[in-house]
């Protein structure tokens, strides 16, 4: 055991010296560990078709577990909210569970939960997605229910007011009651210059209160339509029978004559850095956030940003945690958040102080860790560990029909191509230390940044 420990320490020192050119060639060649062989991942196999009304349908049969996932991804998110009406996409995430022409309020829950299934939904910058998992013999009724609430939702005063109150309470809990809710809600408005990604997906109480029922109905008729949706079915089902049911329930839905409005704002390149001072009513410890521009989610470097996040903030042994929390003891937590969306992207690194120090004191240590990672070396074992963690998480997610459908959904939203789901794990495994350092130099080191300082407001 002592010999093995000493040998590991020698090899670690040898790798560092070899990178600096301080060892003979034969030692330098022997020190690095060989790169692990790429894991061959079986591709997802699915059938894709588009109905006459524009609805995209993707069916991926897999497994024999007797359950099926039905997901509907609408290409409408926070970026599509009307000006002065933030939170509309989020509002419909809730409204879609209310009554329709042929379903009572909350009946969708009864169709899923009462048969041992589950359902949920989420809203993001580019999409609002709804998903249900049920025993396979309940597939037909869920397809009917999804078609029913796509076109026959009751957008009336009672439903509007009740769900608006729910969204407003969610805002109070997630943003106002959370000591750092205001800080993290301020990241998007400061990360983006012109693109509507700068508007909060959750919305604001002021915008929601100023909305009228006519505003809400217009939003629904504009975006909730078959030619703006992707229907994804994964799990244990018969493909021929599925096609018949999809044609029966979704085929008759009409495609509106009006075009779907699309966001075509091009985010400009940031040319100057800036600092923003923010305060909150209940801030236990000061915090600082550094934000840079980044590429969109379909960019060739998206996988490198995944690995970058893992190196900087992926767990207890990540670089920011090891340095700022454990060694320097200047932060009680530190992390990184990539915001790579369909049209544009940004990344943020942050630290919450370990005591009542000035948040400005956190900036230099954050920059130092980024510079250290950019200049290297990045040990092969560290890189391999992070990539293995990311790959394992992705593969674990694909063990369920819900997880596979979700992976396909993001591929459709970001890449407009379900085959992207079969490329992303290969691209992740191909990321090298040089790739990580290149994206750091290209997007972060020496580039204009927005720095947020967050402190307790004056009493």
């Amino acid at each position: 055991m002592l010999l093995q420990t000493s040998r590991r320490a020698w090899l670690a020192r040898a790798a560092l010296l070899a990178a600096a050119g301080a060892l003979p060639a034969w030692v330098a060649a022997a020190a690095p560990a060989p790169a692990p062989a790429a894991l061959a991942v079986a591709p997802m196999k699915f059938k894709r078709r588009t109905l006459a009304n524009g609805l995209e349908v993707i069916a991926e049969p897999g497994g024999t577990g007797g359950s099926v996932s039905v997901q509907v991804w609408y290409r409408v998110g926070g970026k599509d909210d009307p000006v002065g009406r933030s939170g509309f996409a989020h509002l419909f995430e809730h409204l879609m569970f209310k009554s329709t022409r042929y379903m009572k309020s909350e009946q969708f829950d009864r169709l899923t939960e009462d048969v041992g299934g589950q359902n949920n939904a989420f809203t993001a910058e580019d999409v609002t997605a709804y998903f249900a998992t049920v025993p396979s013999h309940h597939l037909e009724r869920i397809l009917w229910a999804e078609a029913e609430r796509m076109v026959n939702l009751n957008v009336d005063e009672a439903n509007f007011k009740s769900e608006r109150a729910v969204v407003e309470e969610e805002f109070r809990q997630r943003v106002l009651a959370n000591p750092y809710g205001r800080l993290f809600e301020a990241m998007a408005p400061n990360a983006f210059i012109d693109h509507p990604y700068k508007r909060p997906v959750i919305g604001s109480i002021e915008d929601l209160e100023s909305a009228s029922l006519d505003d809400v109905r217009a939003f629904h008729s504009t975006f909730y339509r078959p030619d703006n949706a992707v229907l994804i079915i994964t799990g244990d089902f018969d493909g021929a029978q599925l096609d018949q049911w999809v044609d029966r329930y979704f085929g008759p839905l009409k495609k509106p004559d009006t075009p779907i409005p699309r966001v075509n704002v091009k985010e400009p390149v940031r040319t100057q850095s800036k600092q923003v001072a923010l305060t909150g009513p209940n801030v236990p410890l000061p915090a600082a956030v550094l934000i840079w521009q980044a590429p969109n989610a379909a960019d060739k470097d998206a996988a490198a940003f995944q690995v970058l996040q893992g190196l900087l903030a992926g767990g207890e042994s990540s670089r920011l945690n090891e340095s700022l929390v454990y060694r320097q003891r200047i932060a009680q937590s530190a992390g990184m958040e990539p915001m790579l969306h369909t049209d544009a992207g940004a990344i943020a690194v942050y630290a919450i102080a370990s005591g009542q120090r000035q948040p400005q004191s956190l900036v230099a240590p954050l920059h130092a860790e980024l510079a250290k990672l950019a200049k290297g070396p990045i040990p092969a074992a560290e890189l391999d560990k992070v990539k293995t963690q990311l790959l394992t998480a992705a593969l674990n997610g694909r063990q369920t029909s819900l997880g596979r459908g979700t992976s396909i959904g993001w591929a459709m939203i970001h890449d407009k191509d379900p085959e992207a789901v079969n490329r992303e794990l290969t691209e992740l495994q191909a990321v090298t230390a040089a790739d990580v350092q290149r994206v750091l130099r290209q997007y972060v080191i020496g580039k204009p940044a927005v720095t947020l300082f967050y402190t307790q407001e004056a009493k």
Side-chain angles (χ1 to χ4, degrees):
M1 178 63 73
L2 288 176
L3 175 63
Q4 292 173 345
T5 302
S6 300
R7 186 172 184 274
R8 283 200 299 269
W10 186 89
L11 287 175
R13 288 194 296 270
L16 292 173
L17 291 171
L23 286 176
W26 67 270
V27 177
L39 177 66
V41 179
M44 291 189 196
K45 297 180 180 179
F46 39 75
K47 175 183 177 181
R48 180 185 187 184
R49 65 188 181 115
T50 302
L51 304 189
N53 57 21
L55 176 70
E56 295 181 272
V57 183
I58 300 175
E60 190 263 346
T64 57
S67 68
V68 63
S69 170
V70 179
Q71 305 186 25
V72 183
W73 291 57
Y74 291 90
R75 297 184 187 277
V76 54
K79 71 178 181 185
D80 301 293
D81 289 339
V83 176
R85 295 292 185 267
S86 65
F88 265 34
H90 180 207
L91 177 65
F92 272 96
E93 175 196 326
H94 294 260
L95 277 171
M96 286 286 278
F97 291 93
K98 305 301 285 184
S99 62
T100 71
R101 182 179 181 182
Y102 297 111
M103 285 197 299
K104 297 178 181 179
S105 185
E106 324 297 342
Q107 189 173 345
F108 197 90
D109 292 335
R110 305 285 65 80
L111 293 174
T112 53
E113 295 171 2
D114 289 2
V115 299
Q118 60 176 322
N119 72 77
N120 215 322
F122 70 86
T123 310
E125 286 76 8
D126 299 294
V127 66
T128 307
Y130 303 84
F131 44 92
T133 302
V134 293
S136 296
H137 59 283
H138 289 276
L139 171 59
E140 181 181 7
R141 67 182 62 191
I142 298 303
L143 292 171
W144 168 82
E146 287 291 8
E148 166 68 10
R149 66 178 180 171
M150 179 182 288
V151 295
N152 288 329
L153 186 69
N154 285 333
V155 187
D156 56 26
E157 191 75 25
N159 286 343
F160 167 46
K161 287 186 175 180
S162 70
E163 296 315 296
R164 179 173 65 181
V166 171
V167 173
E168 290 175 355
E169 184 58 27
E170 186 177 336
F171 180 88
R172 293 185 185 99
Q173 292 181 6
R174 287 174 49 185
V175 178
L176 301 184
N178 186 324
Y180 296 95
R182 289 172 174 82
L183 172 63
F184 290 107
E185 197 64 19
M187 286 170 54
N190 286 283
F192 297 96
I193 301 170
D194 291 339
H195 199 284
Y197 286 145
K198 65 192 298 181
R199 296 200 300 262
V201 174
I202 195 173
S204 72
I205 292 177
E206 293 76 17
D207 283 356
L208 290 168
E209 283 294 328
S210 64
S212 69
L213 181 60
D214 286 342
D215 294 333
V216 178
R217 284 174 171 165
F219 187 86
H220 180 262
S221 63
T222 299
F223 293 105
Y224 277 77
R225 44 197 279 180
D227 56 329
N228 197 41
V230 183
L231 173 65
I232 304 170
I233 306 96
T234 56
D236 189 3
F237 60 85
D238 178 84
Q241 179 67 81
L242 172 68
D243 286 345
Q244 292 178 17
W245 286 336
V246 169
D247 291 340
R248 178 184 304 169
Y249 299 117
F250 288 93
L253 306 187
K254 302 299 183 183
K255 174 182 176 180
D257 295 331
T258 55
I260 303 169
R262 296 300 186 196
V263 173
N264 54 16
V265 176
K266 183 174 177 58
E267 179 70 0
V269 176
R270 188 179 299 281
T271 58
Q272 292 184 329
S273 295
K274 70 173 184 177
Q275 296 183 348
V276 179
L278 303 170
T279 61
N282 183 28
V283 182
L285 297 166
V289 181
L290 309 179
I291 306 172
W292 292 269
Q293 290 183 315
N296 63 35
D299 190 87
K300 60 180 178 59
D301 286 328
F305 275 96
Q306 275 189 280
V307 177
L308 172 62
Q309 182 192 28
L311 290 166
L312 286 173
E316 290 293 311
S317 62
S318 62
R319 291 193 174 211
L320 290 177
N321 202 56
E322 282 280 352
S323 177
L324 275 67
V325 177
Y326 289 118
R327 290 202 303 270
Q328 301 183 57
R329 298 184 180 181
I330 58 174
Q332 62 94 3
S333 65
M336 171 191 170
E337 182 174 346
M339 296 176 278
L340 306 188
H341 308 313
T342 300
D343 300 337
I347 60 168
V349 296
Y350 64 89
I352 299 175
S354 59
Q356 292 300 332
R357 65 181 73 245
Q358 291 298 313
Q360 289 82 354
S361 66
L362 300 170
V363 173
L366 285 170
H367 277 293
E369 284 305 310
L370 293 169
K372 179 180 177 182
L373 184 57
K375 296 177 181 178
I378 301 176
E382 180 186 13
L383 182 68
D384 182 44
K385 180 191 73 172
V386 167
K387 290 167 62 175
T388 300
Q389 289 172 337
L390 293 169
L391 182 62
T392 301
L395 292 174
N396 282 340
R398 297 183 183 193
Q399 295 302 303
T400 65
S401 58
L402 174 62
R404 293 194 303 278
T406 302
S407 297
I408 295 171
W410 282 119
M412 289 296 296
I413 296 302
H414 289 323
D415 299 90
K416 299 179 177 62
D417 177 12
E419 287 293 345
V421 78
N422 289 326
R423 297 191 296 267
E424 61 183 26
L425 299 187
T426 300
E427 292 168 354
L428 174 63
Q429 294 186 81
V431 173
T432 65
D435 292 328
V436 174
Q437 294 174 323
R438 175 177 50 77
V439 298
L440 267 174
R441 291 192 298 269
Q442 182 175 348
Y443 293 98
V444 176
I445 305 301
K447 304 301 180 183
V450 177
T451 305
L452 310 181
F453 298 121
Y454 190 57
T455 56
Q456 170 70 37
E457 67 185 22
K459 298 293 185 180

